[in-house]
Amino acid sequence: MTDQPGVDLEKRQSADVRPAVLDGELIDEQAIPRPRPHLIGRAIRARAEVVTVLGASTTAATTGRAGRRVLAVGWTTGQGVRSTARRAWRGMTHGVEREQVRLAELAGDREAVGKAAADLRDAKTERMKRLLELPRAVLGLAVLAAAVLGLLLVLLFAGAVVAQVTPGGTDWAGWWAGVGSVLAVVSTVLHVLVVVLGPVLAVPVLVYAAWREGQRAAEPPMWLLAPEDRPRDELITPSKVIVALRDLGIAPLRAALKEAGDAGAALLSPIAVAGCGVEVDVLLPSGVSTDQIQARRRRLAENLDRHEHELHITVSAARTVRLWIADSGALDEPIGPSPLVTDKAQRSHYRSGRAPWGLSLRGDPVAISLYQRHLLITGLSNQGKTAALRALALWLAFDVRVQFWIADLKGFGDWSMFSPLAEVLIEGPTDDHVIAATEMLERAVYEMDRRLQQGGQHDPLIVIVDEAQVAYLCPEIDDEKRPYGGAKNTSRFFMAARKIQNQGRAVDVLLHQGTQDPTNQNLPKLIREGAHIRASLVVGTEEQARMAVGDKAVDGGAAPHLLRQGLDKGALVVAGDGVDLPAGQVSTTIRTHFIDTEPAAQVARRAVERRRKRARGPAVTSGEPDHMAAIEAALRGETRVRTTVVLARLMEADAAAYEGWDLPRLTEVLTLAGAPPLKSSGVMYVVSERVLTARGEAS
């Protein structure tokens, strides 16, 4: 080993200290600062004291918990003994019947007094009969015992006779000695069982019976139960809501509720059952904002004995929050299959129909209108975004007029079932697939411009881009140095999407997008704000929630960032047009039906078959269709139906014949036939009686 500068190896060896090496070089251990011995000893003692304190506290907690359990068992057993003695005494003295007589007398109900007195007399008569039959029962038992004893003596005598006549048998003395030995053993065993083991076995049995009776008769006091054993009150009452609000840690709210006392319940609306939970409005006192309540959602939920996801807070009016509190565990139950899977006769209508999408938190079915509405669905990966977007497209597929242009920029076969339905289907995550998707959007812009110039009505064109963030982040540049991705006005994908969002709805060219993890980079602001319907699965932060559904929705209570990743798959917070929102709210939460890939393929095959039948067309008939017959069928046996509903049903039943109809056209046909619509409370109705009369006169 070569000596290093500044290192005295002889001194090290004389001190019996091994040289230390750091990064291949010797270092001077004398220069290394070492902790002083008294500090080490102090640290060790402090650590020992901490361990001792923690151990003592743990032991004390365990001992206290065990002591409470022993006391609770003793209290329950004592209550069982008390209940048993009480029941026995009441049985001997007819206490139940006498109590009924007393209550009836206090109520002044003579009829009830007579009935209770009759029951008391019957009970006494029955007991007298049992007492009179008791000697007869005892005599019967004595006769039975005598018969058994006599039979035993006969058997013994027969055995003795057999023993005498058998060659080599024992004499009478030996026989009776053997019988006496057997009887002595039986007597000893019975004595041990009755005298020794009897009390030992009887005491635990009696104690257990008393404990079981005590559990039935009464609950132990709360101070005897460990915190984890104390029952929780799942019922939501006004007092529970007031206490939960009081303990939120908001000083003005606590002071106002404390000053109001029992009158604090006046701040609450009636607690109403709402689906799988309850709903209540809370009018906040002056000085308390709705933001403060929303910011303490978890604490408020725990104060109400609920998990955070089981409480939803929305702003229903000025200084008023609406609390929807789910029943414990209700939101973890599955919601069942989609009607698209279960209803084999599924039909849809782009203009007047609504797509079944799932259930609200209250358990009510939720349907969404897609007529002339751009759609955006966003959220974290693997939370059900594609399934939610695909379910709407599957419903639209049953309207034979709807055309699909689809770009799946994930490319795992999630949209392959649309191959026979879509005129364009792009599947893949590469830059080449992004270029193809961009050109698809640009062709949609060209088709939109053609329709705008042509005018009139056109078949709906639904342009779907799943995993759109891949396109917005694409770095490819075309021959003219224009990027395909990005959020600038030079981006081809971005500009095509903006043009469709600006003017496409007027001619039924619509853009539906699904994207992950919204940020300004992978989901530009103008694209977010151009969607009529904005839906979000779980996202990571409140900032992302605002990007997904908008500031107004989040300020009003929308909270996709508070959904549980993995546990709330398919749960969407929806804001915008097309969904029926509760009064005063700007968003709603939907638990969407999950349609897996194979069931989705089966639904798509049914849609393909429907389109094929539609392409073959109905049988050729001469002349105009019988409009009045079609209107009668659209009434579906109802007394009167709104004209708007009748028109929608006509279009759904025969889109080719009634696609161009409007309300004036329907009114004209009915009036000419002698069945004009009836106006009631400002609403026009088609009256079944008038239609039937008109058809009868025409025939």
Side-chain angles (χ1 to χ4, degrees):
M1 179 179 295
T2 304
D3 293 347
Q4 303 294 328
V7 178
D8 191 350
L9 294 180
E10 294 182 358
K11 184 177 180 180
R12 294 183 188 280
Q13 292 173 357
S14 63
D16 195 21
V17 178
R18 291 183 298 173
V21 179
L22 179 64
D23 293 335
E25 297 184 0
L26 293 173
I27 59 175
D28 187 2
E29 292 185 353
Q30 300 295 329
I32 300 176
R34 301 176 181 274
R36 286 171 288 181
H38 69 281
L39 294 180
I40 296 176
R42 186 182 300 172
I44 293 175
R45 287 192 299 272
R47 180 181 178 185
E49 291 174 0
V50 170
V51 171
T52 302
V53 170
L54 291 177
S57 62
T58 303
T59 304
T62 304
T63 303
R65 189 180 299 110
R68 280 196 300 267
R69 290 186 181 277
V70 171
L71 290 176
V73 170
W75 189 91
T76 303
T77 304
Q79 290 296 312
V81 173
R82 177 175 175 271
S83 175
T84 302
R86 190 176 179 183
R87 291 170 64 184
W89 174 256
R90 294 179 70 177
M92 289 186 296
T93 60
H94 303 294
V96 175
E97 291 79 4
R98 296 181 186 277
E99 183 70 14
Q100 294 297 325
V101 173
R102 188 181 68 83
L103 293 176
E105 290 175 346
L106 291 176
D109 189 344
R110 295 185 178 182
E111 183 178 353
V113 170
K115 185 177 181 303
D119 292 339
L120 178 58
R121 287 194 301 270
D122 292 341
K124 290 182 177 180
T125 303
E126 290 294 329
R127 186 174 66 176
M128 183 59 66
K129 289 181 179 179
R130 290 193 298 271
L131 291 175
L132 293 176
E133 292 175 355
L134 184 60
R136 188 180 306 170
V138 173
L139 181 60
L141 290 175
V143 171
L144 179 61
V148 171
L149 181 60
L151 179 61
L152 180 61
L153 292 176
V154 170
L155 291 176
L156 290 175
F157 181 76
V161 172
V162 171
Q164 288 297 319
V165 300
T166 300
T170 59
D171 56 5
W172 285 100
W175 170 257
W176 287 113
V179 172
S181 300
V182 172
L183 294 177
V185 172
V186 172
S187 176
T188 302
V189 171
L190 292 176
H191 179 78
V192 171
L193 291 176
V194 173
V195 178
V196 180
L197 295 181
V200 176
L201 296 176
V203 170
V205 170
L206 293 176
V207 170
Y208 177 74
W211 177 73
R212 288 295 301 271
E213 174 63 19
Q215 279 191 320
R216 184 201 65 80
E219 291 289 339
M222 291 295 104
W223 64 270
L224 280 179
L225 296 178
E228 63 272 15
D229 295 333
R230 295 173 184 173
R232 288 171 26 181
D233 183 13
E234 299 290 346
L235 186 64
I236 301 298
T237 60
S239 60
K240 188 168 188 175
V241 176
I242 290 297
V243 171
L245 292 169
R246 184 197 65 193
D247 296 339
L248 278 184
I250 303 175
L253 179 61
R254 182 180 182 87
L257 294 177
K258 184 177 181 181
E259 182 180 352
D262 294 339
L267 301 176
L268 307 181
S269 69
I271 298 178
V273 176
C276 58
V278 296
E279 190 173 69
V280 59
D281 285 350
V282 182
L283 177 62
L284 301 177
S286 178
V288 182
S289 68
T290 56
D291 292 341
Q292 292 176 289
I293 304 298
Q294 291 176 320
R296 291 166 172 79
R297 175 182 170 186
R298 173 175 294 182
R299 180 180 293 185
L300 180 57
E302 292 175 349
N303 289 349
L304 293 169
D305 293 329
R306 295 294 190 273
H307 294 292
E308 183 178 11
H309 71 277
E310 293 174 333
L311 171 65
H312 286 256
I313 306 173
T314 54
V315 180
S316 58
R319 214 158 46 94
T320 302
V321 292
R322 177 167 295 167
L323 308 181
W324 183 79
I325 308 158
D327 298 335
S328 294
L331 296 184
D332 296 324
E333 298 293 331
I335 66 172
S338 168
L340 293 174
V341 177
T342 58
D343 185 5
K344 304 302 181 183
Q346 179 67 45
R347 296 290 185 270
S348 66
H349 196 279
Y350 161 73
R351 290 181 181 273
S352 60
R354 286 177 171 265
W357 212 9
L359 301 180
S360 68
L361 293 178
R362 295 157 178 79
D364 301 323
V366 176
I368 179 173
S369 173
L370 300 173
Y371 176 58
Q372 294 188 343
R373 291 179 174 92
H374 302 300
L375 174 68
L376 172 64
I377 300 179
T378 187
L380 298 181
S381 176
N382 194 32
Q383 298 302 307
K385 168 179 53 61
T386 296
L389 183 61
R390 186 176 62 193
L392 300 178
L394 286 171
W395 179 81
L396 284 170
F398 284 94
D399 189 329
V400 297
R401 300 160 301 163
V402 176
Q403 304 172 32
F404 293 101
W405 293 4
I406 301 174
D408 175 16
L409 298 182
K410 181 167 56 178
F412 287 153
D414 291 337
W415 293 88
S416 296
M417 72 285 300
F418 277 82
S419 179
L421 292 166
E423 297 179 8
V424 179
L425 180 59
I426 301 167
E427 295 181 285
T430 67
D431 291 341
D432 291 336
H433 293 98
V434 172
I435 294 173
T438 303
E439 293 173 348
M440 178 188 75
L441 256 66
E442 291 174 340
R443 290 198 303 272
V445 172
Y446 175 81
E447 172 65 16
M448 176 189 71
D449 292 338
R450 185 190 67 81
R451 294 183 178 188
L452 288 171
Q453 295 174 7
Q454 182 179 355
Q457 293 185 344
H458 303 272
D459 289 341
L461 173 58
I462 309 298
V463 182
I464 300 174
V465 182
D466 196 10
E467 305 296 341
Q469 78 280 354
V470 177
Y472 290 113
L473 295 174
C474 179
E476 284 294 307
I477 301 176
D478 64 9
D479 296 337
E480 299 178 0
K481 306 300 182 181
R482 294 179 59 195
Y484 287 95
K488 297 182 179 180
N489 56 7
T490 55
S491 168
R492 292 176 59 178
F493 187 91
F494 169 74
M495 289 304 297
R498 282 297 301 148
K499 289 178 181 179
I500 294 174
Q501 287 184 333
N502 287 338
Q503 294 180 299
R505 65 179 300 272
V507 287
D508 293 312
V509 177
L510 303 174
L511 179 60
H512 294 182
Q513 298 180 86
T515 180
Q516 292 183 16
D517 197 14
T519 63
N520 285 324
Q521 288 72 35
N522 60 23
L523 187 59
K525 180 179 180 181
L526 292 178
I527 296 297
R528 301 194 304 261
E529 295 180 349
H532 302 105
I533 302 172
R534 299 169 67 172
S536 177
L537 298 141
V538 57
V539 292
T541 64
E542 181 179 335
E543 182 182 2
Q544 290 178 328
R546 293 181 180 276
M547 292 182 181
V549 296
D551 292 335
K552 183 178 180 181
V554 174
D555 292 339
H561 56 291
L562 295 181
L563 295 173
R564 300 168 297 168
Q565 185 174 359
L567 297 177
D568 289 327
K569 278 189 176 183
L572 283 171
V573 177
V574 183
D577 195 11
V579 183
D580 292 333
L581 300 175
Q585 297 185 20
V586 294
S587 68
T588 186
T589 301
I590 303 173
R591 302 173 66 197
T592 59
H593 296 292
F594 175 66
I595 308 176
D596 208 347
T597 304
E598 181 54 33
Q602 297 175 6
V603 174
R605 285 194 289 269
R606 297 206 318 266
V608 170
E609 183 61 25
R610 171 168 170 76
R611 291 180 175 231
R612 287 174 180 170
K613 291 180 179 179
R614 194 65 176 173
R616 291 194 292 266
V620 179
T621 59
S622 59
E624 282 282 321
D626 189 349
H627 297 312
M628 294 303 294
I631 293 173
E632 180 184 352
L635 292 174
R636 299 178 182 177
E638 300 175 30
T639 304
R640 64 177 188 173
V641 182
R642 290 188 178 187
T643 53
T644 55
V645 176
V646 172
L647 182 60
R649 291 175 180 176
L650 288 173
M651 291 180 179
E652 182 178 1
D654 193 349
Y658 298 100
E659 179 63 32
W661 278 40
D662 53 14
L663 291 177
R665 171 65 172 154
L666 176 61
T667 303
E668 179 185 3
V669 171
L670 289 168
T671 303
L672 291 176
L678 171 67
K679 188 173 185 179
S680 176
S681 301
V683 179
M684 299 299 293
Y685 291 90
V686 179
V687 182
S688 176
E689 182 180 359
R690 293 183 179 184
V691 173
L692 294 175
T693 303
R695 290 204 66 206
E697 293 176 354
S699 61

